[in-house]
């Protein structure tokens, strides 16, 4: 009697996150729940068993301080894979992505994307992941530069961008055409 070779059970741990964004529409399109649902569907369609899920809410992909990410990596048993909706959910910093991948590989696993970005596991797929990570990092830095420029422009126009006035400024009783409080120089804090 010939016994069929038993296939090892393939298992994944899901990681999901979204960035802090000022617009609510971004949160609705990339919600944690949508990411988890897509990852679970991908795992089922590809013969993987989901053994855990970890999340980080309002955390940047460039931020290393993500408790959910490190809990997901630490929870991986030998041979398990880390599954993300898209690679940019894992990291928006090429160096960080490579370090996470190395940690997962040291445990006998690999990083998988429900969108299929570089899942093949060969050198071409690795190159694709590195290129995508570099592009994600560039998008992140460009967004940060645009946000900083817009905030400085608003401040220069005397408009409030937070609930606290920056040093050297004070809130006035006046409002602009959109109902936002206008700031003015605070003589006590001017040098």
């Amino acid at each position: 009697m010939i016994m069929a070779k038993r296939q090892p059970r393939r298992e994944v741990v899901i990681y999901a996150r979204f960035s802090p964004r000022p617009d609510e529409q971004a949160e609705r399109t990339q919600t944690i729940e949508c990411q988890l649902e897509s990852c679970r569907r991908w795992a089922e369609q590809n013969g993987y068993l989901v053994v855990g899920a970890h999340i980080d809410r309002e955390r940047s992909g460039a931020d290393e301080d993500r408790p959910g990410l490190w809990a997901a990596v630490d929870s991986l048993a030998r041979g398990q894979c880390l599954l993300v909706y898209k690679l940019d959910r894992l990291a928006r910093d090429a160096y960080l992505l490579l370090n996470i991948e190395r940690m997962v590989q040291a445990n006998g696993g690999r990083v998988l994307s429900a969108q299929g970005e570089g899942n093949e596991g060969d050198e071409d797929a690795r190159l694709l992941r590195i290129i995508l990570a570099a592009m994600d990092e560039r998008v992140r830095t460009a967004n940060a530069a645009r946000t900083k420029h817009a905030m400085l422009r608003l401040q220069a126009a005397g408009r409030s961008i937070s609930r606290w006035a920056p040093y050297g400024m004070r809130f006035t009783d006046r409002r602009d055409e959109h109902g936002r409080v206008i700031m003015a120089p605070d003589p006590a804090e001017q040098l």
Side-chain angles (χ1 to χ4, degrees):
M1 180 163 148
I2 299 174
M3 305 261 294
K5 187 175 180 180
R6 189 173 162 209
Q7 290 289 336
R9 189 166 72 177
R10 300 186 315 173
E11 298 176 336
V12 293
V13 172
I14 298 173
Y15 172 70
R17 75 157 184 91
F18 71 85
S19 299
R21 300 273 310 254
D23 55 52
E24 292 178 25
Q25 183 175 0
E27 183 180 335
R28 284 194 301 266
T29 60
Q30 290 292 329
T31 65
I32 295 290
E33 293 75 21
C34 288
Q35 291 177 49
L36 293 172
E37 179 183 321
S38 292
C39 287
R40 286 188 178 104
R41 187 172 37 256
W42 183 92
E44 182 179 328
Q45 291 170 351
N46 289 278
Y48 286 86
L49 175 66
V50 176
V51 295
H54 300 270
I55 62 171
D56 282 313
R57 295 183 188 275
E58 297 189 14
R59 296 290 181 137
S60 167
D63 189 0
E64 289 185 41
D65 182 22
R66 288 187 273 155
L69 170 63
W70 302 118
V73 171
D74 290 343
S75 74
L76 292 171
R78 184 132 194 87
Q80 290 179 339
C81 297
L82 182 62
L83 176 61
V84 292
Y85 172 69
K86 282 184 69 178
L87 288 178
D88 69 358
R89 301 298 88 203
L90 187 58
R92 282 194 179 251
D93 177 286
Y95 181 74
L96 180 57
L97 177 69
L98 292 173
N99 281 335
I100 294 166
E101 280 192 333
R102 285 188 181 113
M103 293 173 75
V104 171
Q105 288 169 351
N107 209 24
R110 63 188 186 136
V111 173
L112 297 171
S113 162
Q115 298 297 306
E117 305 158 304
N119 283 354
E120 292 77 26
D122 59 11
E123 286 304 309
D124 289 339
R126 184 173 187 274
L127 177 61
L128 175 62
R129 287 192 306 274
I130 292 169
I131 291 169
L132 289 172
M135 291 172 58
D136 287 336
E137 184 174 341
R138 175 63 183 118
V139 167
R140 177 183 54 82
T141 58
N143 287 344
R146 279 194 303 273
T147 300
K148 179 180 178 181
H149 178 71
M151 291 174 75
L152 290 173
R153 206 174 63 240
L154 289 172
Q155 282 181 333
R159 295 219 340 241
S160 169
I161 57 171
S162 77
R163 59 183 161 165
W164 296 282
Y167 186 80
M169 302 295 283
R170 64 177 174 73
F171 291 120
T172 67
D173 294 331
R174 298 184 333 231
R175 295 189 177 267
D176 66 11
E177 65 276 5
H178 302 290
R180 293 179 289 234
V181 175
I182 295 177
M183 294 185 299
D186 184 346
E189 293 179 352
Q190 295 289 318
L191 301 177

